[in-house]
Amino acid sequence: MPRMPITTTPKTATIDDAPLINRTLARAFDDDPMMRWLFTTPAAREAGLGRYFTTLFTRQYAHHGVCERTGSAAAFWVPPEAQDKAVPDAETVQELQDILGDRAPLFRDAVEAAAKHTPQEPHWYLAVIGADPAARGQGHGAALLRSGLAQADAAGLPTYLESSKPSNLPFYEHFGFTVREELRLPGNGPVLWAMRREPRRPADA
């Protein structure tokens, strides 16, 4: 019996989608320089990445962000009206510290360093986007990116993201992002590329 294709049509992600999203993002970020800096061994990444994304999704972005998924990818956006609320509360911070162990102080310093470069004007922030490597090249990430950008464009607002993976930069540039800064994270951390995209009218998208 032929396998049904996995749809690339974005849909709103709910808490019930957490197992799928966590598996997808754990696979997507296994080779990400930032995650390899925080989870330094394959065993640490296997044990920690799923818990890390579970915490971010279920405690933070599912409640205060715009979360969408396809069959093999997920994206978490934060519109400007939610950015004050999307800051992790004390319990979320404690969960992340438990997951990261002795790497938690590095994570805290990295978040604080990146926050200093966040745009001050209203914008849509792409907090997380990732596709299962087994489905890369099938359009899942592009579909989610287009969906979020369309919402930002409809509001007439710019979008902002950070990436620690240089091979992802051309993908974002294809959709109109430009590199604004290169940030070397403290603690001998990886480079983050801060990228921005100006809003487009529908005819320009």
Side-chain angles (χ1 to χ4, degrees):
M1 182 176 177
R3 295 178 62 186
M4 294 293 291
I6 296 177
T7 177
T8 60
T9 302
K11 61 180 294 186
T12 299
T14 68
I15 293 294
D16 291 341
D17 296 318
L20 169 65
I21 286 175
N22 302 334
R23 287 194 304 270
T24 297
L25 293 178
R27 293 168 181 163
F29 282 86
D30 182 68
D31 64 347
D32 183 84
M34 180 78 168
M35 293 299 105
R36 290 198 165 205
W37 178 60
L38 294 173
F39 300 97
T40 56
T41 66
R45 288 192 296 278
E46 183 176 2
L49 278 177
R51 293 176 61 206
Y52 174 83
F53 286 112
T54 294
T55 299
L56 290 182
F57 176 59
T58 61
R59 293 194 56 87
Q60 188 172 350
Y61 294 115
H63 303 288
H64 303 298
V66 175
C67 299
E68 295 186 321
R69 70 167 183 87
T70 68
S72 295
F76 307 157
W77 296 82
V78 184
E81 63 272 16
Q83 285 170 8
D84 288 341
K85 300 176 183 177
V87 177
D89 60 22
E91 290 184 13
T92 304
V93 169
Q94 185 59 56
E95 283 193 26
L96 291 172
Q97 289 177 337
D98 292 344
I99 294 165
L100 292 162
D102 61 5
R103 308 296 284 178
L106 294 175
F107 175 72
R108 179 200 62 217
D109 293 345
V111 170
E112 292 176 353
K116 294 176 182 177
H117 299 268
T118 301
Q120 296 304 304
E121 76 272 25
H123 65 280
W124 275 59
Y125 174 56
L126 179 55
V128 176
I129 187 169
D132 189 323
R136 282 182 186 156
Q138 297 178 14
H140 292 270
L144 290 173
L145 193 55
R146 287 191 189 97
S147 179
L149 292 176
Q151 295 174 75
D153 287 345
L157 294 173
T159 48
Y160 177 78
L161 63 85
E162 302 111 357
S163 177
S164 66
K165 194 172 182 179
S167 61
N168 283 345
L169 302 187
F171 172 74
Y172 295 126
E173 289 170 345
H174 175 75
F175 287 92
F177 285 89
T178 57
V179 173
R180 293 302 178 92
E181 289 186 273
E182 291 186 17
L183 316 174
R184 169 66 71 176
L185 293 179
N188 199 31
V191 171
L192 280 186
W193 285 271
M195 306 188 76
R196 178 187 170 100
R197 176 186 179 273
E198 299 301 327
R200 296 180 177 181
R201 296 185 302 272
D204 300 329

